[in-house]
Amino acid sequence: MLRFLPLKLGRLYRCLKLLLVLGLSVILLMNTHNLFASFQKNELTDRRFINLNKCPACFGTSWCRKFMNGQVSFESWGRLRFLDVFNVKNVFFAQYGEPREGTRRVVLKRLGSNQELAEIDQKICKRATGRPRCDLIQAMYKTEFARINGDVRLLTPGVVEGWSDLVHCPSQRLLDRVVRRYAETKDSGSFLLKNLKDTERMQLLMTLAFNPEPLVLQKFDVLSLLTGCVFSNYFVQHVLI
C-alpha cells in the first residue's frame, strides 16, 4: 500500500499543474480583447485611472500634465491590468520621456494598496456625510483637511500632531520646512503656507495623514539622488543620470 502512495501523489501533482495551466489559459482567452487593448492604450492618460477625478481628495497634481500628454507609459507587462491582482504594493515600472532629455526608466508607486486607498475615501465620506460613499470633491471641504484653508499663515503643530510618524511630535521648524519643500519653490526662505492654494493645502494635509513618504524624501534632500513628484495617487521616482 505504501509503495503506491508516491505514485498517487505524483499523479495528483501532475493533475494540479494541468488544472493550473488550463485555468490560466481560460483567463487569457477571456481577456484576449483586453490584452490587446492594454498594449495599445496608455492608461496613464486616463483621468480615472490616475484618480485625477478625485482631486483635491488626492496627494498632488504636479505631474498630471505630463501623464495626460502621454510622456509616461507603462513598460511591457505593466500594461496588463489583470496582473494587478498580484501587484499588492502597487509598484509599476514605466518610461518617462522629455523632448530634450530623451527617455528614462521610472518607478510609479501608489501611496497605498487599493484597499487602503478605498478606506481613506470611505473615511473622508463618513466624516463629511456619515455615509461610506459620496462626492469626494465636495466632501473634502467638510473634513479636517480643509481646516487651514483661507488666510492661514503657518501650518502649526496643533493642526497635524499625531497624524502620522512624521508629525508624531512635530516642531514648528519641521512643519515650515515641509511646507517650503512641498511647494518646490526656488525662493523657499520667504515661502509661507498662505502662498499655497486651498486645494494644495488639502493635498498636503492628506499626504501627511495617509503616507508622508514623498514629504520625507523632499524634506531631507533625498531628491539629490531621487527626483520625486506626487501626482494624484501616485508617487514618481527616477534616478538622475
Side-chain angles (χ1 to χ4, degrees):
M1 184 67 181
L2 293 177
R3 69 177 60 181
F4 290 105
L5 188 58
L7 181 60
K8 290 182 178 179
L9 290 177
R11 289 179 178 176
L12 179 61
Y13 177 70
R14 288 194 295 271
C15 288
L16 290 175
K17 284 205 308 184
L18 180 60
L19 289 174
L20 179 62
V21 172
L22 289 175
L24 291 175
S25 300
V26 170
I27 292 174
L28 287 174
L29 288 174
M30 293 176 63
N31 289 275
T32 301
H33 176 73
N34 295 333
L35 187 66
F36 288 108
S38 296
F39 276 106
Q40 294 175 353
K41 179 183 178 182
N42 183 3
E43 290 185 300
L44 291 174
T45 61
D46 185 349
R47 293 173 60 89
R48 297 188 65 85
F49 184 79
I50 63 175
N51 291 326
L52 182 58
N53 60 307
K54 294 183 179 181
C55 289
C58 60
F59 305 105
T61 57
S62 61
W63 266 49
C64 287
R65 181 172 296 179
K66 297 179 186 292
F67 282 83
M68 299 304 293
N69 289 341
Q71 291 179 249
V72 187
S73 59
F74 287 125
E75 288 185 349
S76 58
W77 298 107
R79 297 174 179 265
L80 305 180
R81 298 279 63 80
F82 71 88
L83 294 179
D84 288 348
V85 66
F86 304 107
N87 190 6
V88 180
K89 294 186 178 181
N90 275 329
V91 177
F92 307 88
F93 293 100
Q95 293 289 328
Y96 164 60
E98 282 283 358
R100 297 181 180 180
E101 300 178 6
T103 303
R104 66 182 69 184
R105 200 182 195 198
V106 297
V107 179
L108 308 182
K109 176 186 177 184
R110 289 188 188 269
L111 293 185
S113 65
N114 292 337
Q115 181 178 352
E116 290 170 334
L117 293 170
E119 287 175 354
I120 187 100
D121 290 348
Q122 291 179 2
K123 288 180 180 178
I124 291 172
C125 287
K126 287 182 178 179
R127 291 171 184 173
T129 67
R131 300 188 302 272
R133 293 185 180 182
C134 66
D135 183 342
L136 284 172
I137 297 176
Q138 298 299 323
M140 278 291 288
Y141 291 91
K142 301 178 182 179
T143 65
E144 65 271 27
F145 299 129
R147 68 172 60 178
I148 58 172
N149 284 356
D151 191 23
V152 180
R153 188 169 179 269
L154 298 172
L155 176 61
T156 57
V159 175
V160 297
E161 185 173 2
W163 281 18
S164 63
D165 290 340
L166 179 62
V167 289
H168 179 71
C169 186
S171 65
Q172 187 61 57
R173 182 180 178 184
L174 168 68
L175 296 181
D176 290 345
R177 185 173 176 84
V178 167
V179 171
R180 290 196 301 267
R181 297 297 294 170
Y182 177 79
E184 297 179 347
T185 178
K186 295 181 179 178
D187 185 21
S188 59
S190 60
F191 193 88
L192 299 173
L193 183 68
K194 66 179 183 180
N195 299 122
L196 291 175
K197 299 177 183 178
D198 285 349
T199 54
E200 292 173 332
R201 299 180 195 185
M202 288 189 285
Q203 291 161 6
L204 171 59
L205 290 187
M206 189 169 171
T207 306
L208 274 173
F210 182 73
N211 184 351
E213 178 185 350
L215 301 176
V216 172
L217 292 177
Q218 286 181 313
K219 179 191 179 304
F220 294 104
D221 293 327
V222 181
L223 300 187
S224 61
L225 295 178
L226 294 173
T227 296
C229 295
V230 181
F231 80 98
S232 192
N233 287 336
Y234 279 101
F235 180 60
V236 184
Q237 299 177 331
H238 61 80
V239 179
L240 296 179
I241 299 176

